[in-house]
Amino acid sequence: MWQGFLQIILTLVLVVIITPILGNYMACVFLGKPTFLDRFLKPIESRLYPLFGLRILEATNSNGYQYVKDVIASNLVMGIFVYLILMTQGFLPLNSTSLSAPSWHLGLHTAISFLTNTNQQHYSGETTFSYASQVLALGFLMFTSAGTGLAVAIAFIRGLTGQRLGSFYVDLTLSITRILLPISIVGAIVLIISGVPETLSPPVTATTLEGANQVIAIGPVAHFEIIKELGENGGGFFGINSAHPYENPNPFSNLFTILAMMSIPTSLIYTYGVFANNKRQAWLIYGMVFSIFVVLIAISAVGEYYGNPLVNNLLGDTQPNLEGKEVRFGWSQTALWAVMTTATMCGAVNGMHDSLMPTGGFSTIFNLFLQIIWGGQGTGTAYLFIYLILTVFLTGLMVGRTPEFLGRKIEKPEIVLASVILLVHPIAILIPSAITLAFPEALAGISNPGFHGISQVVFEYASAAANNGSGFEGLGDNTLWWNLSATFSLILGRYVPIIALLLLADNMSRKQLVPLTSGTLRTDTVLFTSITAGVILILGALTFFPVLALGAIAEGFQLAG
């Protein structure tokens, strides 16, 4: 038992150590300060910007509407480009197994899923898409979708701290050339050394001990795997994702990919502290999120360690729950990964979420509902500050003070935009879930009846709306209904909040700085941070409490009884 918990503690310690190092580096990149990569990358970047028609001095002064327009236009072009590749893969090279195009609705869902940094997969990669589709199309979106999230987060932070939002194309370029690509190159080499394949060779046919032929899928996995984790993408090269020995062969690769998964979302909070020149507040916010995160890990890990009471009764002993788990990772690393992948909105899995105990199911879906522990690539940090703004507004009303955040007044337009960001999430989850559950035989494809079946359906839409991509599985989800309804949640959960975030940041950047007085409500105190945690739990958790009560909570009581 203690060995498993020690592994979890050591992993979390490494995450905390990485935070200020990477956080400070990202701040230097986007603040234009010198970094050790300047001499290598500045000449390349100076040649890339003219491709976007950019003149840097003009571009960095763009407003919120221009930033939104650039995000939507670029994403639309990239989505169409990738969809065309997926639908014509049968005629393209790097298709050694002669795979034909998927159905139009599966191709549409897949393209939009990867475009929105969700990577929700209603297919098995090795039997559905060619190397060209996986590497040239989906791998391309893994970089650009993660870069889009990072760019939006930096623009939002700039706006909060009174700066102009900057240029989306400049931020996207820097996100890829200075952060995602360099780390991915080093990370891919590390994964190759640890045993992950990287080849364009066709699948290998082997003869088993029984004399039968077995086809073993391989491919350019290593570079696909690192950006999958680093960019909070989560889409697996193989159908069983990071539970596959070619994606995650051993405990070292498991630890390395966990650190890659956690590094950017956790470090962005520190990056905010550098931008705002208030590292104290950054660490307080970090501590708040980390505390909730640790509680959820503990709940999940304890549940997996003590196992299924029905199985334990049959065995006459207490045994960990090993159903749906890879034995090379065990109960502790599977529980840790499950909470981390839903906390960071990565979506990669090294075990079956469908087989988690109700406590694990509660923690994972709870993360998808809140979206801020630690949240998606870039956008999670922005959502976190939406809760801070709402807390400032609520506490200001309670004590009779004008609500201010970072010296700028919070007024009606900001609260309206913050409300839109928080309300679109339940709309994208609960409405399609209700329709699906109303017609379980025709639409749902539920493999488990009762409370667990409810969690399966709600988890799928929560995963899509939160741009996570993982699933409880057990659903027959490669159907017209699931592909189109999940696409609705993907688009709504991604672009409506991004538009509102950028407009809110633009509003804040235009406000006059209000001098600090004795009546100013300080936001860098333990008291205010504690109140923020309460607001998060009240607004976030209570919104979805009925669903949790009908799903994971009810299943836990049923199992205990």
Side-chain angles (χ1 to χ4, degrees):
M1 173 181 180
W2 294 115
Q3 181 182 4
F5 282 107
L6 180 61
Q7 292 174 354
I8 292 173
I9 292 170
L10 291 176
T11 303
L12 294 178
V13 169
L14 290 175
V15 169
V16 175
I17 292 172
I18 290 171
T19 295
I21 300 171
L22 183 58
N24 189 67
Y25 170 74
M26 289 193 294
C28 290
V29 167
F30 292 107
L31 285 171
K33 295 181 179 179
T35 68
F36 67 98
L37 291 176
D38 285 354
R39 58 180 295 190
F40 306 106
L41 296 178
K42 274 194 173 182
I44 298 174
E45 292 161 356
S46 64
R47 288 171 174 77
L48 287 175
Y49 294 141
L51 296 178
F52 302 126
L54 289 178
R55 282 182 289 184
I56 302 303
L57 291 178
E58 295 177 5
T60 52
N61 290 320
S62 61
N63 58 29
Y65 290 98
Q66 182 63 46
Y67 211 101
V68 167
K69 189 178 81 171
D70 291 343
V71 170
I72 300 301
S74 63
N75 277 234
L76 181 62
V77 171
M78 289 187 290
I80 294 172
F81 169 70
V82 167
Y83 181 71
L84 291 176
I85 290 179
L86 298 183
M87 300 310 295
T88 58
Q89 72 171 8
F91 306 101
L92 298 176
L94 297 178
N95 187 4
S96 57
T97 52
S98 302
L99 294 171
S100 59
S103 64
W104 70 268
H105 50 84
L106 176 60
L108 179 66
H109 173 267
T110 303
I112 294 177
S113 180
F114 278 75
L115 179 69
T116 56
N117 199 229
T118 309
N119 296 29
Q120 190 177 55
Q121 295 174 288
H122 291 172
Y123 64 90
S124 290
E126 67 268 41
T127 59
T128 306
F129 289 121
S130 66
Y131 290 169
S133 294
Q134 296 240 57
V135 176
L136 300 180
L138 303 183
F140 162 72
L141 287 183
M142 282 182 162
F143 279 95
T144 57
S145 64
T148 297
L150 259 176
V152 169
I154 294 301
F156 183 76
I157 291 172
R158 286 196 190 109
L160 287 187
T161 54
Q163 304 173 46
R164 302 292 288 173
L165 268 60
S167 165
F168 168 69
Y169 292 113
V170 172
D171 292 339
L172 176 64
T173 302
L174 291 175
S175 297
I176 294 174
T177 60
R178 297 303 184 97
I179 299 168
L180 298 175
L181 193 57
I183 299 176
S184 293
I185 291 173
V186 176
I189 295 172
V190 172
L191 289 177
I192 292 172
I193 294 172
S194 69
V196 178
E198 178 71 19
T199 178
L200 293 175
S201 300
V204 175
T205 301
T207 302
T208 67
L209 293 176
E210 292 81 9
N213 288 332
Q214 179 182 0
V215 178
I216 302 173
I218 52 177
V221 183
H223 84 276
F224 194 92
E225 181 71 15
I226 185 62
I227 190 58
K228 178 187 89 173
E229 310 294 359
L230 180 67
E232 309 308 317
N233 290 286
F237 193 93
F238 301 103
I240 59 174
N241 211 285
S242 290
H244 196 290
Y246 285 172
E247 288 198 31
N248 193 5
N250 50 55
F252 171 78
S253 65
N254 192 71
L255 173 63
F256 183 76
T257 48
I258 280 177
L259 296 179
M261 183 196 310
M262 291 290 295
S263 58
I264 293 178
T266 56
S267 300
L268 266 174
I269 296 177
Y270 189 90
T271 300
Y272 157 78
V274 177
F275 266 82
N277 196 26
N278 193 344
K279 294 179 184 178
R280 170 183 167 81
Q281 185 182 39
W283 280 117
L284 285 170
I285 296 170
Y286 188 95
M288 176 192 70
V289 177
F290 190 82
S291 299
I292 301 173
F293 180 57
V294 169
V295 169
L296 293 175
I297 291 174
I299 291 173
S300 302
V302 169
E304 298 306 310
Y305 174 76
Y306 284 105
N308 190 323
L310 301 180
V311 175
N312 291 340
N313 288 339
L314 293 175
L315 296 175
D317 190 17
T318 299
Q319 292 292 329
N321 172 34
L322 294 179
E323 180 192 350
K325 295 176 177 61
E326 281 294 308
V327 293
R328 63 185 187 275
F329 306 134
W331 62 269
S332 64
Q333 289 300 303
T334 305
L336 175 64
W337 185 294
V339 177
M340 282 186 165
T341 195
T342 49
T344 59
M345 302 305 150
C346 177
V349 295
N350 74 347
M352 187 66 73
H353 287 185
D354 192 44
S355 299
L356 293 171
M357 299 302 296
T359 51
F362 172 87
S363 297
T364 52
I365 200 168
F366 186 78
N367 280 331
L368 300 182
F369 289 158
L370 289 186
Q371 297 191 89
I372 52 92
I373 313 168
W374 302 87
Q377 184 81 301
T379 55
T381 304
Y383 294 153
L384 178 58
F385 284 96
I386 294 301
Y387 280 108
L388 284 169
I389 290 172
L390 287 174
T391 304
V392 169
F393 181 74
L394 293 173
T395 51
L397 291 178
M398 287 189 288
V399 300
R401 293 175 179 171
T402 302
E404 300 167 7
F405 186 69
L406 297 180
R408 291 166 180 83
K409 291 184 179 180
I410 306 298
E411 298 172 306
K412 179 182 176 181
E414 290 75 52
I415 297 304
V416 169
L417 289 169
S419 300
V420 168
I421 293 166
L422 295 184
L423 289 174
V424 72
H425 193 52
I427 290 172
I429 297 171
L430 299 180
I431 291 178
S433 294
I435 296 172
T436 303
L437 291 170
F439 304 96
E441 295 182 0
L443 300 179
I446 300 173
S447 61
N448 289 284
F451 303 126
H452 195 82
I454 293 174
S455 294
Q456 281 184 317
V457 170
V458 174
F459 195 103
E460 187 75 3
Y461 289 115
S463 177
N467 303 140
N468 175 259
S470 65
F472 252 36
E473 301 308 333
L475 292 173
D477 51 19
N478 186 14
T479 63
L480 179 66
W481 167 254
W482 273 114
N483 286 331
L484 294 186
S485 62
T487 297
F488 164 80
S489 296
L490 289 168
I491 295 173
L492 199 64
R494 175 72 164 182
Y495 293 108
V496 173
I498 280 180
I499 293 170
L501 284 169
L502 291 171
L503 295 181
L504 191 154
D506 191 45
N507 285 352
M508 294 293 286
S509 71
R510 297 174 186 274
K511 291 180 181 289
Q512 293 294 325
L513 194 63
V514 179
L516 288 175
T517 67
S518 58
T520 300
L521 178 65
R522 296 191 63 88
T523 58
D524 56 354
T525 64
V526 174
L527 176 61
F528 179 82
T529 307
S530 302
I531 296 172
T532 303
V535 170
I536 289 170
L537 295 176
I538 292 171
L539 293 181
L542 291 186
T543 301
F544 295 99
F545 183 77
V547 176
L548 289 169
L550 290 172
I553 294 175
E555 185 183 2
F557 277 110
Q558 182 185 48
L559 195 62

